[in-house]
């Protein structure tokens, strides 16, 4: 039984699992049992009941959705030996702003992102694309030329912040917020890459 509530529902392309946070009988019964005493159902009572039931539905949803359910299994990767020029081309061609750095066994060794590259070009200092443009104009040439042949291992962030495939939605959101990263490589128990997810993936599945 559904209660006319707009569900947070999505069909996952990887697992075929339907992800939904719509209210169920179980959520409503759980909310009713949590009330301290018997009540007649008035509009105010129902609003209270709905609030508790919806909270239970969201909690159930965040526990049931895993990284494997929402990750993208088609991942752009680079190797530590590739040059920065190669890495930038791979990310540009793939339409991504960051990529896992993997070894021959698919284990995640690090991450490389626009931020890492920008900081290297600015001599280890943080800055914006405008900062870089200012430097290029003052130097009379592109600062990219100084770093184009560097190996990825010299620019990547390591160790990478990763998440296990079985981690739930709450754990993923906490990791992204606590570690201040925009994407998480998804790995198996041996640290081998299975997929990747970004902040937007979590936002999308919750909408």
């Amino acid at each position: 039984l559904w209660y006319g509530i707009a569900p947070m529902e999505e069909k996952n392309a990887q697992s075929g699992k339907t992800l939904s946070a719509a209210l169920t009988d179980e959520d409503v019964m759980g909310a009713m049992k949590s009330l301290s005493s018997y009540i007649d159902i008035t509009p105010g009572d129902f609003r209270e009941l709905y609030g508790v039931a919806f909270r239970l539905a969201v909690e159930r949803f965040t526990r049931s959705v895993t990284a494997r359910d929402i990750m993208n299994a088609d991942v752009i990767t680079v190797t530590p030996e590739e040059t920065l020029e190669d890495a930038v081309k791979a990310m540009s061609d793939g339409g991504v702003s960051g990529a896992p750095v993997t070894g021959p066994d698919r284990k995640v060794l690090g991450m490389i992102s626009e931020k890492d590259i920008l900081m290297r070009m600015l001599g280890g200092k943080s800055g914006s694309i405008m900062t870089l443009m200012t430097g290029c104009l003052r130097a009379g040439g592109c600062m990219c030329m100084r770093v184009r042949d560097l190996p990825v291992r010299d620019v990547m962030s390591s160790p990478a912040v990763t998440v296990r495939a079985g981690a739930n939605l709450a754990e993923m959101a906490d990791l992204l917020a606590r570690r201040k990263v925009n994407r998480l490589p998804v790995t198996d128990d041996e640290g081998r890459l299975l997929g990747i997810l970004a902040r937007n993936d979590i936002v999308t599945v919750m909408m």
Side-chain angles (χ1 to χ4, degrees):
L1 176 64
W2 302 93
Y3 290 86
I5 310 301
M8 292 183 285
E9 182 172 295
E10 179 176 327
K11 185 81 168 182
N12 179 257
Q14 304 298 330
S15 63
K17 179 179 178 181
T18 298
L19 312 176
S20 175
L23 294 183
T24 65
D25 284 343
E26 180 183 355
D27 298 317
V28 175
M29 290 301 296
M32 293 178 70
K33 289 177 182 178
S34 74
L35 298 177
S36 58
S37 60
Y38 174 80
I39 56 172
D40 292 327
I41 298 298
T42 66
D45 295 332
F46 182 77
R47 282 194 296 271
E48 179 183 0
L49 185 64
Y50 169 81
V52 176
F54 188 75
R55 174 177 56 79
L56 292 173
V58 170
E59 289 175 356
R60 171 176 50 80
F61 181 68
T62 57
R63 289 193 303 269
S64 64
V65 178
T66 67
R68 188 186 296 274
D69 294 326
I70 65 173
M71 71 181 190
N72 182 355
D74 185 16
V75 190
I76 304 296
T77 64
V78 296
T79 66
E81 297 77 23
E82 288 184 86
T83 65
L84 193 56
E85 182 179 9
D86 293 332
V88 169
K89 184 178 188 307
M91 289 191 289
S92 176
D93 290 347
V96 297
S97 59
V101 183
T102 58
D105 54 1
R106 295 281 288 176
K107 286 191 176 180
V108 180
L109 305 176
M111 283 289 297
I112 187 165
S113 67
E114 289 178 347
K115 181 180 178 181
D116 296 316
I117 298 168
L118 187 59
M119 285 188 65
R120 189 56 184 248
M121 293 174 67
L122 294 174
K125 300 176 183 178
S126 61
S128 66
I129 190 66
M130 294 305 295
T131 307
L132 178 62
M133 291 174 64
T134 299
C136 289
L137 293 170
R138 287 178 177 173
C142 181
M143 298 168 70
C144 298
M145 303 305 292
R146 304 177 188 174
V147 300
R148 61 182 293 181
D149 294 325
L150 287 176
V152 167
R153 69 164 63 89
D154 289 352
V155 184
M156 70 184 189
S157 296
S158 181
V161 180
T162 63
V163 66
R164 292 289 189 267
N168 64 40
L169 198 59
E171 292 168 331
M172 289 180 264
D174 174 70
L175 192 57
L176 285 166
R178 184 162 40 84
R179 299 299 297 273
K180 296 181 173 61
V181 294
N182 294 318
R183 61 191 65 80
L184 292 170
V186 182
T187 66
D188 62 16
D189 291 338
E190 302 300 320
R192 289 185 291 263
L193 184 68
L194 299 175
I196 196 165
L197 61 88
R199 287 179 181 269
N200 285 345
D201 296 316
I202 294 179
V203 172
T204 299
V205 79
M206 289 297 295
M207 291 178 64

